Amino acid sequence: MEEAQEQSSIIKGSEAKEMMSPGIFQGDLQSDAPCLRQYTWWLQVAVYTILTLAGQTVGVLLGRLYFDKGGNSEWMATLVQNIGFPVLLPFLLSSPSKTRNQETGIVRPSFVVLASTYTFLGLCLAGESLLYSLGLKYLPVSTFSLINASQLAFNALFAYFLNSQKLTPFIINSLVLLTLSSVVLVIQDDSEDSNKTSNNKYKAGVICTIAASALYSFMLSATQLIIQKILKKETFRLIIDLTIYKSLVATVAITIGIFVSGEWKSLKSEMEEFKLGKVSYIMTLLWTAVSWQVFDLGCNGLIFKVSSLFSNVISVVGLPVAPVLAVVFFHDKVTGAKVLSLLLALWGFISYVYQQYLDDMKAKADRNSTSNEVVEASPVGIK
């Protein structure tokens, strides 16, 4: 009887030691680590989303203000979209240069490859900025913003070919609706909008805005591809480098365009004739430059953390904000075509978000299934 009690106490003692072993607590800590990383990830995505929405809305409104109050230089409006990159230099200096790639032994791309990459993205950015400036000059803010919804359709198309993005029925439905939202504005009766601009300029503005949306979408997908295949970094320093260097290339290209076109000669008179005064002229350009850098930083961050398509979705989410504020500040007219276009754009966005919701639920189910399999296979669970 005493021997049985001793054996029982020995077995219980060994089970207690096993349950109190460091491996068990280490497993608990490791199980908490993914949750912490997930919360951190969501926080970073939220910050980049706010930067994207705020920068886009302020940039569009100030760009329209520039043209409404006497600004007439397409090249200047293009330049301020990219020249604000020096505000990011403190982040470049404060960010550590050592990356996870150096720790894992991944070879850093050569200077020629990096220079070619940033030059390519910078030239795309310069072309897209010029097309956007022309569209914003000839179109009301509400019309301009709604046409930009077409960029999500373009982005999904490029993401399918460049980033292996799957096109589900809900995403295809989203693309069709967002495309229709732009078509409605192209074929609308533009007699009300042509009070300030001619019919030809209005149509040119629509075409330029659609072309800018296509080029911008291509640039987002190309950026994601470059990050995955060439840069291969996983640091905040990558986002800063990407934003600064491509803006630098775009600034140089646009500055050359200003001098070649001869518009630099009229900039002084433009500032003197600005309806709000010289100080307001400078402040409008200054804060336009800052807002677009904030937008670009947010977009690159979303591409890095999620995908190019998600980054574009966030941009489309902010599109209804600018038209609403434009009605208040610029007294844009709300036509039936614009309301229909807005509803189609929102419907398309909801369709896309629903697909993201389905994907997220599926991913969670897969993670739970994998976690349950691991627990069942664990020696601790064996009695």
Side-chain angles (χ1 to χ4, degrees):
M1 190 71 179
E2 293 178 356
E3 293 180 357
Q5 291 178 352
E6 290 178 358
Q7 290 178 356
S8 177
S9 63
I10 292 174
I11 292 174
K12 291 181 180 179
S14 62
E15 289 179 353
K17 290 180 180 179
E18 184 180 359
M19 296 301 293
M20 294 293 289
S21 63
I24 301 300
F25 290 105
Q26 185 177 1
D28 293 340
L29 293 176
Q30 289 177 350
S31 64
D32 292 338
C35 295
L36 180 60
R37 287 196 298 267
Q38 186 177 12
Y39 291 142
T40 303
W41 182 86
W42 277 111
L43 178 60
Q44 292 172 338
V45 170
V47 172
Y48 289 133
T49 298
I50 294 173
L51 293 178
T52 301
L53 295 177
Q56 175 181 253
T57 302
V58 175
V60 170
L61 292 177
L62 289 179
R64 183 66 253 178
L65 179 68
Y66 167 77
F67 286 117
D68 277 359
K69 300 304 178 181
N72 195 45
S73 173
E74 298 93 350
W75 285 103
M76 176 56 70
T78 304
L79 180 64
V80 295
Q81 295 180 41
N82 303 282
I83 201 173
F85 66 89
V87 301
L88 301 178
L89 290 179
F91 295 99
L92 182 65
L93 298 176
S94 61
S95 300
S97 58
K98 186 177 181 180
T99 66
R100 188 180 303 176
N101 296 350
Q102 294 172 331
E103 297 175 357
T104 57
I106 297 177
V107 179
R108 176 181 174 85
S110 65
F111 173 78
V112 175
V113 173
L114 289 176
S116 301
T117 298
Y118 291 135
T119 300
F120 170 74
L121 293 177
L123 293 177
C124 288
L125 181 60
E128 171 259 332
S129 300
L130 179 60
L131 290 171
Y132 267 136
S133 296
L134 292 172
L136 191 58
K137 180 179 181 180
Y138 297 135
L139 296 177
V141 173
S142 55
T143 306
F144 172 83
S145 299
L146 293 174
I147 292 178
N148 278 337
S150 64
Q151 70 189 30
L152 186 57
F154 288 117
N155 194 196
L157 182 63
F158 289 125
Y160 175 77
F161 290 103
L162 297 180
N163 311 126
S164 301
Q165 175 73 40
K166 293 182 180 180
L167 296 181
T168 65
F170 286 106
I171 291 182
I172 294 175
N173 179 63
S174 174
L175 304 183
V176 172
L177 292 172
L178 290 170
T179 302
L180 289 177
S181 69
S182 298
V183 172
V184 168
L185 293 177
V186 174
I187 64 176
Q188 73 165 325
D189 180 10
D190 51 17
S191 58
E192 294 181 356
D193 288 327
S194 60
N195 291 332
K196 295 183 179 180
T197 58
S198 66
N199 185 30
N200 291 334
K201 288 184 177 180
Y202 179 88
K203 293 184 181 300
V206 171
I207 294 173
C208 287
T209 305
I210 293 177
S213 298
L215 183 56
Y216 173 73
S217 300
F218 169 76
M219 186 174 62
L220 289 182
S221 296
T223 300
Q224 181 179 347
L225 183 65
I226 288 171
I227 291 175
Q228 295 173 344
K229 301 298 183 181
I230 299 178
L231 300 179
K232 299 179 181 179
K233 293 182 181 179
E234 298 183 3
T235 62
F236 178 71
R237 177 65 178 264
L238 166 65
I239 304 173
I240 299 298
D241 287 346
L242 192 60
T243 305
I244 290 179
Y245 292 134
K246 75 175 184 179
S247 296
L248 174 61
V249 173
T251 299
V252 173
I254 296 167
T255 301
I256 294 174
I258 290 178
F259 284 96
V260 172
S261 65
E263 284 194 0
W264 64 275
K265 299 177 182 179
S266 61
L267 293 180
K268 183 178 180 180
S269 60
E270 179 180 279
M271 180 176 64
E272 294 175 349
E273 297 172 1
F274 196 67
K275 296 179 182 179
L276 299 179
K278 295 181 180 179
V279 176
S280 296
Y281 178 85
I282 296 174
M283 295 303 293
T284 299
L285 296 180
L286 174 63
W287 289 110
T288 302
V290 172
S291 64
W292 282 119
Q293 285 303 306
V294 170
F295 168 78
D296 204 16
L297 179 63
C299 280
N300 289 333
L302 291 176
I303 294 173
F304 174 70
K305 288 296 178 182
V306 191
S307 68
S308 62
L309 193 56
F310 182 81
S311 177
N312 217 337
V313 167
I314 296 301
S315 298
V316 173
V317 171
L319 293 179
V321 178
V324 171
L325 295 179
V327 171
V328 177
F329 294 106
F330 299 113
H331 307 291
D332 283 0
K333 296 182 179 179
V334 181
T335 64
K338 292 178 181 178
V339 173
L340 177 60
S341 177
L342 178 60
L343 292 177
L344 289 172
L346 291 176
W347 186 8
F349 170 71
I350 292 173
S351 179
Y352 181 86
V353 170
Y354 183 68
Q355 180 60 55
Q356 292 296 105
Y357 169 76
L358 294 179
D359 293 341
D360 186 57
M361 294 298 294
K362 181 180 178 181
K364 288 182 179 179
D366 293 339
R367 287 195 298 268
N368 292 335
S369 176
T370 303
S371 177
N372 292 335
E373 292 177 358
V374 172
V375 171
E376 292 176 358
S378 176
V380 177
I382 300 176
K383 295 183 180 179

